[in-house]
Amino acid sequence: MNEVLILLLFMIGLWLLIMDPHVIRKVIGLGFMNNAVVLLFVLRGATAGTTIAILTTGTENIVDPLPQALMLTAIVIGVCITALALSLSYNLYLRYGTFEIDEIRSRTEHDPE
Amino acid sequence: MTQSDLVFLLLVLPLGGAAFAAGARLVHRPGLQRLMLAAGAVLALALPWVPLIMLAGTTAKGLAISGTVGGWAHALGIEYRFDGLALLITMLGMLLTIPPWIYSRSMAVDHPIFDCFVYIQSAFLAAAAIASDLFNIFVCMEVLGIASYVLIFFARKPQATLASLSYLFVSAASMLFYLLGVYVIYLTTGSLSFNDVAARIQEAELLHRREIDIGLGLMVSAIALRVAVVPVYGWLPDAHAMAPHPVSAMLSGVLIKTPLFVLLRLVIMFPEQYQIGRVFALAGAATALLGVVLALAQSDAKRLLAYHSVSQIGYVVTAWGGSLAAGITTPLGIALAAASWLHALLHGIFKGTLFLATGAAISSAHERNVYVLRDAAQWLRAQGLHPLPTILAFAAGALSITALPPWSGFISKNILVSFIENPALSLLLLLASVGTVASFLKLARIFLPNPGQLAESAVHSIPAHPHPNRTATPASTVPLAPAAQRWVIRPHPLNLALLIGALLCLVGGIAGPALYQFSLTHISGWIQSSPDRVLASDLAREEIAALLRAAELSPEKLAQQASPAYLYAAASLLKTLWITLAGGALFLLLRLGPARELLHRIESRQRSFSGLFLAFFLGAALLALSMYYRWP
C-alpha cells in the first residue's frame, strides 16, 4: 500500500515536470519525485526491524540506519537543486514577465544575442 | 605523508582554492582580491599535479590505494579507491580545465564566483574518480551537475538561462532514476559498496535477475544521459552552445567524459556488462554519425561545434562499449578502453581549443551565424585582439578534428578505428569522419576574407532568416570598438590560452603514441589491481596477467599497432586522403539547392522538452530489455 502511494507521488511529480507548462510547477514536480525516492528508501530502512539503532546493547531486530543516512544527503542535494531551479526561473521571469515555458522559449528564440 | 593523504589532497586542494576564490568576493581592496584569486588558482589548478604525479608511479605498477574515509569500519565508512582508472579520469579533468580558465581571465565575468565553481567542479571530478560506492557516485554527479548549471548561467543571456534550466530538469530527474536503480541494487544485494555488491551479485542474479536488469538499466541510462549518447543527447547542444566560451570548452572536454569512465567502474561489477557494451558500441557509432549530420545542418557556429561534441563522444563510446563487449579483461578490451580514453583526452584538447577560438570570433563580431559571419580577423582586430592566435588555434583544432596528420585527432581516431572489428560500426565511423571534414570546411569560412557571392547566396537561400540582407563584415579599415562594446577586458590571457591550445593539439599528435602507451599501462594496471570479485568475469587476476603476457595479442603487440610506423603507413595516409577528398566533395554537394533545403529542415525541426524524457525512458527500457533477453 505504502509503495503504491509513493509510486503515485512519483508519477504525479513526473507528470508535472514533463507536461505542465508552468516552470514553478515543474520545480514542484521535481520536488515530488525527490521526496518520493526519499520516502521509498526510508520506508525500506524502517520496515527492516522494529527497534531503534542507537548505541544500545541489544542490537537485534533494529531498523536499517543506512537508508536514512543516505537520504539526509539526498534531501540536501534536492534542496540545492530546487533553490537553483527557482532562481533560474525567477531570472527568466524578470526578463520576460512570465513563467510559461513555451512562451519563454519562443521569446528567447527571437531575442537578439 | 602517506599515500592515502595524497589521494585526499586531490580533493582538498581544489576545495581550498574554491574557498579562497569565494573569500575574494568578500574583499573589496582590488590588490588583496587579486592576491586571493591567484592563491586560489595555484591551490586548485597547479598544486594537485604534485600528488597526481607522485601517485602515477604507484598506479602504473598495477597497485591501488583504497580504504575508508576517516578510518571507519569497512561496512560503515565511505570507501574510496585510487587506481589507474581514477588517475586517468583525474588527469584528464585537471589538464582540460587549465586553458579555459586562462581564457576566462580575459572576460568580464564575476571572477571570484566563477573560479569557485570551476574549482568545485575539479574537486568533484577527482571525487567521482575515486568514489567506490553507488551512492557516492550519485552525490558526485549531482555536485558536478550543479556546478555546470551555474557555469552555463554565467553567460548572462536568457537563452543560456533557459538552456541551463532545461538541462537541470532533465539531468536532476534522471539522477532520481539513478537513485531508484541504486534502491533496487540495495534491495537485492543489501549493500552499496562496489566490493560487496560485486561479491554478492552472482547470488542475487539467480533470484532477482529481472529486478537487477531494470535497476541497472535505470542507473546506466541516467549516467549515459550525462554523456549525451543517442538517444539521450538532446540537452547538450543548447547547453554547450549557450554557455560562456570557456565553459563550453570545459563542458565538452571534461564533463561529458568523466561520467563515462566512472560508469566503466560501475558496470564491470555486473554480469550484464557484455550486453551493455554491445548496446553502447552500437549507440556510440550511431551517435557519431547522427551528431555529424545534425552538425552539418546548423547555422549557429557554437551549436555546430556542440553537435560535433556529440559526434566525437560517439567515437569514444564506441570504443568504450567495444571494450566491454570484448571483455574488459582481454587484451583487446584493454586496448579499446585505452584508445577510448586517449580519444576522450585529445578530443577535449582540440574541441576546447575550437570552442575558445570560434567563441573569440563570434563574440568579436556579435554574430553567430556561419553563413553570415565573414572576415573574422577584421572583427578581432576591431576588439583590439591580434587575429593570429585565434586563427592558429582554430586551424590547429580543425586539422585535429578532421584527423589530418600529424595533428592529435589523426592519432587517436586511427588507433581507435583500427581496433573496431565490427564492419557495420567501422562504416558508421567512416561516414562520420567524412561528414566532419565537410562540416569544418563550412565553419572555416568564417575566417574567409571576402564575403562575396558565397555569403549572399547562402543567406538568400534561407527564407526563414530574420534579416536576409544582413552581412556581418566590417569595413576594411575598422576603428577600435569603443570600450563599452568590447567583450575582452585584457587580450593577453585569451591569446595565451589559444596558443597553449594550439600547441597541445600538436603535442597530442606527436606524443600520441606515447600517450596511448601511458593509457594502456594505467588501464591494465587498473584491471590487475581490481580484486577478483569486482570484475564479474570468469578470469581471475593471475590468469589475466598470464593472458596479457602470453596471448597472441600482447600489450606489446597492441602497442605496435599504435606505433608511428603503423600509423603513418601508406595505407593509413591514403585512407585519410580519401576521407578528406570525400569530405570536400560532400561539402560541395551540400551547397546545392535541394541539399540545402534538407539541411534547413533538419535544423528547424521541432525539439521538445518532453521529447528528452521520452528518449530517456525509451533508452532505459531498451537497455533493460536487451540485458534481460541477452540481445543483440
Side-chain angles (χ1 to χ4, degrees):
Chain A
M1 183 59 203
N2 288 326
E3 280 87 351
V4 174
L5 287 177
I6 288 171
L7 183 72
L8 194 65
L9 185 64
F10 190 84
M11 285 302 166
I12 293 172
L14 191 61
W15 178 262
L16 283 175
L17 178 66
I18 299 177
M19 301 309 287
D20 202 292
H22 196 275
V23 177
I24 301 294
R25 281 199 291 267
K26 279 185 191 294
V27 179
I28 293 172
L30 194 61
F32 277 15
M33 287 168 71
N34 197 46
N35 288 349
V37 174
V38 169
L39 282 173
L40 187 66
F41 269 86
V42 172
L43 180 71
R44 151 83 187 138
T47 47
T50 47
T51 51
I52 45 172
I54 299 176
L55 297 173
T56 48
T57 44
T59 47
E60 291 123 39
N61 195 25
I62 54 168
V63 300
D64 187 353
L66 186 68
Q68 296 185 26
L70 299 181
M71 284 310 110
L72 271 181
T73 318
I75 289 169
V76 171
I77 289 173
V79 169
C80 293
I81 298 267
T82 308
L84 190 58
L86 286 176
S87 54
L88 289 174
S89 315
Y90 183 60
N91 195 282
L92 285 170
Y93 176 77
L94 286 183
R95 171 92 183 195
Y96 296 121
T98 175
F99 281 119
E100 302 295 318
I101 190 88
D102 297 323
E103 197 182 339
I104 293 175
R105 192 177 298 273
S106 75
R107 287 178 67 176
T108 54
E109 274 160 20
H110 299 116
D111 217 0
E113 290 293 323
Chain B
M1 186 172 274
T2 63
Q3 291 220 303
S4 59
D5 291 339
L6 287 178
V7 174
F8 292 124
L9 274 183
L10 292 175
L11 271 80
V12 174
L13 287 174
L15 281 181
F20 265 97
R25 189 65 154 64
L26 307 173
V27 175
H28 293 294
R29 286 201 0 239
L32 188 61
Q33 194 184 47
R34 268 204 297 279
L35 192 71
M36 286 181 74
L37 283 177
V42 170
L43 269 179
L45 299 176
L47 286 183
W49 287 96
V50 178
L52 204 58
I53 288 166
M54 287 166 81
L55 287 166
T58 312
T59 53
K61 280 183 233 145
L63 300 172
I65 301 143
S66 59
T68 41
V69 180
W72 285 77
H74 163 71
L76 298 175
I78 297 170
E79 289 183 33
Y80 68 91
R81 176 177 187 81
F82 189 90
D83 48 25
L85 186 65
L87 181 99
L88 291 177
I89 298 173
T90 317
M91 194 169 261
L92 182 142
M94 299 244 168
L95 181 68
L96 296 181
T97 310
I98 293 173
W101 180 85
I102 298 176
Y103 186 97
S104 73
R105 298 305 92 186
S106 281
M107 296 173 69
V109 291
D110 185 354
H111 284 291
I113 305 299
F114 182 85
D115 288 5
C116 180
F117 278 94
V118 173
Y119 304 156
I120 288 176
Q121 180 196 303
S122 291
F124 276 84
L125 285 173
I130 65 170
S132 193
D133 74 63
L134 293 170
F135 189 74
N136 270 354
I137 289 190
F138 165 77
V139 175
C140 294
M141 286 297 133
E142 286 283 31
V143 177
L144 284 176
I146 291 173
S148 56
Y149 315 141
V150 176
L151 287 172
I152 294 168
F153 175 72
F154 268 99
R156 299 262 169 205
K157 286 181 296 196
Q159 291 93 338
T161 312
L162 183 62
S164 168
L165 191 63
S166 310
Y167 176 27
L168 183 149
F169 282 142
V170 178
S171 149
S174 78
M175 286 321 283
L176 290 175
F177 283 99
Y178 174 88
L179 216 46
L180 284 180
V182 172
Y183 176 78
V184 173
I185 302 298
Y186 186 65
L187 214 60
T188 51
T189 64
S191 179
L192 294 171
S193 113
F194 284 180
N195 282 326
D196 297 345
V197 171
R200 295 175 200 166
I201 193 76
Q202 306 275 13
E203 208 178 314
E205 283 274 338
L206 294 176
L207 295 170
H208 307 284
R209 193 163 130 235
R210 195 176 355 148
E211 288 83 352
I212 289 176
D213 284 349
I214 292 172
L216 194 58
L218 286 174
M219 285 201 293
V220 173
S221 322
I223 296 186
L225 185 131
R226 288 295 190 82
V227 184
V229 193
V230 163
V232 284
Y233 66 95
W235 60 269
L236 182 141
D238 279 329
H240 285 207
M242 292 308 166
H245 314 317
V247 176
S248 303
M250 279 189 270
L251 287 174
S252 69
V254 185
L255 277 163
I256 56 178
K257 317 285 172 49
T258 310
L260 185 67
F261 291 99
V262 170
L263 186 61
L264 188 56
R265 194 187 277 282
L266 189 156
V267 163
I268 59 158
M269 299 186 301
F270 295 92
E272 285 88 348
Q273 53 178 309
Y274 303 101
Q275 269 72 31
I276 294 179
R278 278 195 275 273
V279 173
F280 268 68
L282 192 63
T287 311
L289 187 59
L290 185 71
V292 144
V293 170
L294 292 171
L296 275 169
Q298 300 305 311
S299 57
D300 181 305
K302 273 184 82 179
R303 185 165 285 143
L304 185 150
L305 286 176
Y307 275 111
H308 274 291
S309 292
V310 175
S311 161
Q312 296 292 318
I313 197 78
Y315 281 87
V316 177
V317 170
T318 309
W320 184 94
S323 110
L324 280 176
I328 188 83
T329 52
T330 63
L332 181 62
I334 292 173
L336 273 167
S340 161
W341 180 80
L342 183 69
H343 194 61
L345 175 75
L346 297 183
H347 167 254
I349 290 173
F350 61 70
K351 181 55 62 62
T353 310
L354 279 168
F355 262 122
L356 297 181
T358 311
I362 61 172
S363 282
S364 301
H366 300 288
E367 175 59 61
R368 304 169 67 103
N369 191 325
V370 289
Y371 295 111
V372 178
L373 175 59
R374 286 292 176 274
D375 210 359
Q378 285 290 348
W379 286 112
L380 288 164
R381 254 183 230 118
Q383 290 279 335
L385 285 168
H386 198 288
L388 196 62
T390 311
I391 293 176
L392 271 181
F394 181 83
L399 290 171
S400 295
I401 198 171
T402 49
L404 289 177
W407 299 87
S408 54
F410 175 72
I411 306 292
S412 56
K413 241 184 227 183
N414 278 337
I415 294 179
L416 196 153
V417 171
S418 74
F419 290 127
I420 303 278
E421 288 169 338
N422 186 328
L425 297 185
S426 304
L427 182 68
L428 285 173
L429 293 185
L430 187 72
L431 290 176
S433 301
V434 173
T436 308
V437 175
S439 167
F440 274 86
L441 282 173
K442 173 173 136 184
L443 183 60
R445 287 188 301 170
I446 63 172
F447 289 99
L448 279 186
N450 263 324
Q453 293 295 308
L454 211 72
E456 284 291 337
S457 61
V459 168
H460 283 303
S461 74
I462 302 172
H465 205 280
H467 308 290
N469 287 320
R470 180 176 49 159
T471 45
T473 39
S476 54
T477 51
V478 244
L480 213 56
Q485 285 175 20
R486 281 194 228 159
W487 67 283
V488 177
I489 50 172
R490 280 187 292 274
H492 297 305
L494 184 140
N495 289 335
L496 180 67
L498 289 170
L499 290 175
I500 291 177
L503 190 69
L504 284 178
C505 285
L506 189 59
V507 170
I510 291 166
L515 278 172
Y516 179 69
Q517 194 61 53
F518 176 83
S519 162
L520 210 53
T521 312
H522 279 88
I523 296 276
S524 36
W526 162 59
I527 302 283
Q528 283 176 43
S529 74
S530 297
D532 301 343
R533 59 177 188 276
V534 171
L535 298 162
S537 145
D538 341 347
L539 296 165
R541 187 169 17 161
E542 286 75 22
E543 285 175 35
I544 298 164
L547 196 74
L548 283 174
R549 277 194 302 272
E552 195 133 322
L553 271 167
S554 65
E556 288 77 25
K557 193 147 184 186
L558 289 170
Q560 251 175 26
Q561 202 157 345
S563 71
Y566 175 84
L567 285 169
Y568 289 102
S572 154
L573 290 177
L574 200 63
K575 192 177 149 203
T576 309
L577 182 69
W578 280 119
I579 290 177
T580 314
L581 289 179
L586 180 64
F587 170 69
L588 293 176
L589 195 68
L590 290 177
R591 284 177 52 199
L592 298 175
R596 213 183 263 158
E597 181 67 27
L598 179 70
L599 289 183
H600 182 63
R601 288 247 182 87
I602 296 177
E603 186 188 10
S604 52
R605 76 200 184 286
Q606 276 296 325
R607 288 177 300 141
S608 69
F609 182 69
S610 44
L612 293 177
F613 283 94
L614 196 67
F616 174 77
F617 295 130
L618 208 68
L622 281 177
L623 190 61
L625 284 175
S626 85
M627 283 188 283
Y628 192 69
Y629 292 107
R630 308 264 187 233
W631 176 91

